[in-house]
Amino acid sequence: MRCLPYGDTAVLAEVDDLTAVLDLYAQLRDDPPAGLVALVPASRTLLVQFDPAVTSASAVDAHLEAAAATAAPTAPAAEVTLPVVYDGEDLDEVAALTGLDREAVIAAHTGQWWTVGFVGFAPGFAYLVGEDDRLRVPRRPEPRPAVPAGAVGLADAFSGVYPRRSPGGWQLIGRTEVATWDLGRDPPALLPPGTRVRFEAVG
Amino acid sequence: MTGMLEVLATGPLSTVQDLGRPGYAHWGVTRSGAADRAAARLANRLVGNPEGAACLEVTFGGLRLRADADLVVALVGAPCPARVGTRPVPSNAPVDLPDGQELQLEPPDRGLRTYVAVRGGLDVPAVLGSRATDLLGQLGPEVLVDGDTLAVGNLHADYPPVEQAAVRGPSGGEVQLRIRWGPRHDRFTGEARSRLLADGWAAGQDSNRIGVRLRGPELPRSSEDELPSEGLVRGAIQVPPSGPPTLFLADHPVTGGYPVIATVLDDDVDLAAQVRPGQRVRFRDVGAPSDRERGSPTGCPVT
């Protein structure tokens, strides 16, 4: 693990893989350093934002080093199943790009566990990492100006569900009625980091 | 509720802000809040509010409000010539805004954002514990439009023992911003780092609450390896492969995939929030974190 200073109010911990990120994230969430403001997990890094009135970068580094050395087992991750109607506009394009037919694309999407690596781009937009690279496809060359809420897509190493209508460049393979972001729900985010997700074909 | 403000005119952009909603980045929600935090805090203190009370962030002046109760306001940040009725009123001081009278802000001739605090705070619905308008995440109150009404709350304590705060206010000339290198400065050449510290940087016309677009020389990379998306902080200077770098402000994205060559110190991001499009900016390297921890925030040697 490398701990990189990030301005005067954050440290960026760089680790080997997403599993290491999620372990570190869970540990710091359960046993936070004094003065912790926020944690931002991502594919290979954990950003730790702190209050400089309470603590320092070196204290946060020390806390991170201790957590990384511990690798304590954490509580089992939450599991969520998302029902999806697989009628996305780009399903045939994804089939062509992956060399699978439509049915095989759907089978590959529903046949593996996806893990929430991090949430970014928009509130509730979870970047899901699969078990293998069968469905790895590039983004669309041009983003669409309006992707509907609930659209299920693929881009690079990730799958994702658009939490609300927005521009988007992901390859759309289906749609779900489940709201992944809902301010009227507690918690509003259905898919926080570490959650395991399974897609299920319906309709 | 202890009164109401009617928004007769909003100017180019006015939003409700407070100190934002920290701690939700893991859900993809950025802190948001006042772009110039120091100014918002001072405005609230001057009217005897808690520092985190909701106030108005006014961009390039132009705001006109009518009070429907006896209120007290304070204006801090970019100095807008202001009047209550026909009477000129100062910045950086508590100002009476009597029932039925109008407060008018003209555009400032330096700085960009002015904070209008009202004693009692603005009482609008909170989202995730904050009344801040997040323009990127689209959370919190809508951007103000002419005809809006704002309820005034009753969060307040004693007035501070100060009639006028001695504040220099935003600079009209070159703005100096202190930086620390990284986290991804190792992806740029030495030439790029020299260029960042040299003359020739200015704020672009398309700057906003998300960030200041920086017009200046190209910053050549030493590595073209793909960088997986990683967390971003307020003050980060992110360099895309083409197009201007961005110095992120309050409504910055939570994660990003382009390398951050340097990060502006948190206090100096308040200064960046006052930079007008076209205004010159100069970055100053203040050395390693250990200098600051030894009590030397300017990076000068400790004697």
Side-chain angles (χ1 to χ4, degrees):
Chain A
M1 180 178 70
R2 283 202 305 161
C3 286
L4 307 172
Y6 201 155
D8 58 341
T9 62
V11 170
L12 187 68
E14 192 174 49
V15 293
D16 289 334
D17 54 34
L18 179 62
T19 304
V21 173
L22 293 174
D23 281 347
L24 201 57
Y25 169 69
Q27 287 184 277
L28 262 72
R29 204 190 46 212
D30 293 347
D31 175 26
L36 178 70
V37 169
L39 293 171
V40 189
S43 315
R44 291 285 178 282
T45 56
L46 180 68
L47 174 68
V48 183
Q49 295 183 35
F50 61 86
D51 180 350
V54 174
T55 188
S56 66
S58 53
V60 170
D61 285 354
H63 196 103
L64 281 164
E65 296 284 349
T70 309
T74 54
E79 292 181 356
V80 171
T81 301
L82 293 177
V84 176
V85 176
Y86 282 95
D87 62 357
E89 277 183 57
D90 304 319
L91 193 47
D92 287 331
E93 174 72 8
V94 170
L97 288 166
T98 56
L100 305 170
D101 63 22
R102 279 175 75 104
E103 291 310 313
V105 168
I106 296 169
H109 200 247
T110 56
Q112 61 181 297
W113 281 102
W114 298 84
T115 303
V116 179
F118 58 99
V119 184
F121 170 65
F125 193 109
Y127 286 74
L128 305 172
V129 176
E131 294 179 78
D132 58 49
D133 273 350
R134 280 177 291 162
L135 294 177
R136 189 181 185 113
V137 291
R139 281 157 202 267
R140 298 191 57 73
E142 295 278 334
R144 291 184 168 92
V147 172
V152 177
L154 295 165
D156 304 323
F158 304 105
S159 186
V161 178
Y162 281 81
R164 61 163 182 241
R165 189 179 184 77
S166 71
W170 290 39
Q171 307 276 7
L172 304 180
I173 58 174
R175 57 191 162 89
T176 182
E177 308 238 306
V178 173
T180 51
W181 176 258
D182 179 357
L183 281 166
R185 179 178 59 208
D186 181 24
L190 182 67
L191 306 177
T195 307
R196 282 162 48 88
V197 177
R198 197 85 183 193
F199 294 98
E200 178 182 58
V202 297
Chain B
M1 191 187 79
T2 56
M4 191 90 84
L5 282 165
E6 199 185 334
V7 179
L8 302 176
T10 64
L13 176 68
S14 291
T15 56
V16 177
Q17 295 298 338
D18 56 20
L19 297 179
R21 47 185 74 85
Y24 293 107
H26 61 292
W27 287 349
V29 176
T30 201
R31 176 170 174 167
S32 186
D36 178 350
R37 286 187 199 145
R41 288 186 160 114
L42 178 59
N44 274 316
R45 288 204 304 277
L46 286 170
V47 296
N49 285 348
E51 290 191 340
C55 62
L56 291 179
E57 178 180 275
V58 181
T59 310
F60 266 133
L63 181 76
R64 198 161 93 245
L65 300 174
R66 183 191 297 134
D68 84 341
D70 288 337
L71 301 176
V72 179
V73 298
L75 314 177
V76 180
C80 295
R83 317 186 282 284
V84 168
T86 55
R87 180 172 54 94
V89 295
S91 295
N92 305 317
V95 165
D96 286 322
L97 179 57
D99 189 359
Q101 298 225 1
E102 292 180 15
L103 169 70
Q104 166 84 56
L105 272 57
E106 299 303 322
D109 66 359
R110 57 190 167 92
L112 186 60
R113 295 180 167 99
T114 306
Y115 295 85
V116 179
V118 60
R119 183 168 168 80
L122 294 176
D123 186 6
V124 300
V127 171
L128 294 175
S130 164
R131 298 178 164 89
T133 299
D134 172 355
L135 292 178
L136 181 72
Q138 293 169 46
L139 298 177
E142 301 277 324
V143 170
L144 289 192
V145 297
D146 298 355
D148 277 345
T149 54
L150 295 164
V152 176
N154 54 15
L155 309 166
H156 55 71
D158 295 337
Y159 283 99
V162 141
E163 291 271 313
Q164 173 91 44
V167 185
R168 195 169 62 190
S171 161
E174 177 187 85
V175 173
Q176 293 215 352
L177 301 173
R178 294 170 297 164
I179 57 149
R180 289 237 168 83
W181 291 110
R184 299 301 182 187
H185 53 301
D186 57 351
R187 286 170 171 255
F188 295 89
T189 62
E191 175 62 24
R193 298 201 284 276
S194 298
R195 289 181 186 177
L196 188 66
L197 298 182
D199 277 336
W201 292 97
Q205 294 297 321
D206 48 350
S207 304
N208 56 26
R209 278 182 49 83
I210 295 168
V212 180
R213 309 289 176 218
L214 296 170
R215 303 286 162 184
E218 200 189 310
L219 297 175
R221 298 185 194 216
S222 56
S223 162
E224 292 301 337
D225 289 351
E226 195 190 303
L227 181 71
S229 280
E230 57 192 20
L232 281 171
V233 302
R234 176 183 184 258
I237 299 173
Q238 187 194 58
V239 185
S242 64
T246 301
L247 192 180
F248 283 117
L249 298 179
D251 285 353
H252 65 86
V254 169
T255 57
Y258 303 133
V260 170
I261 186 173
T263 307
V264 173
L265 299 196
D266 205 43
D267 287 348
D268 285 9
V269 184
D270 292 338
L271 304 179
Q274 295 292 356
V275 173
R276 296 157 72 103
Q279 190 168 2
R280 285 172 302 119
V281 169
R282 185 75 183 247
F283 297 107
R284 203 155 62 85
D285 174 8
V286 291
S290 55
D291 291 326
R292 181 175 173 90
E293 287 165 4
R294 285 202 296 272
S296 175
T298 60
C300 297
V302 177
T303 53

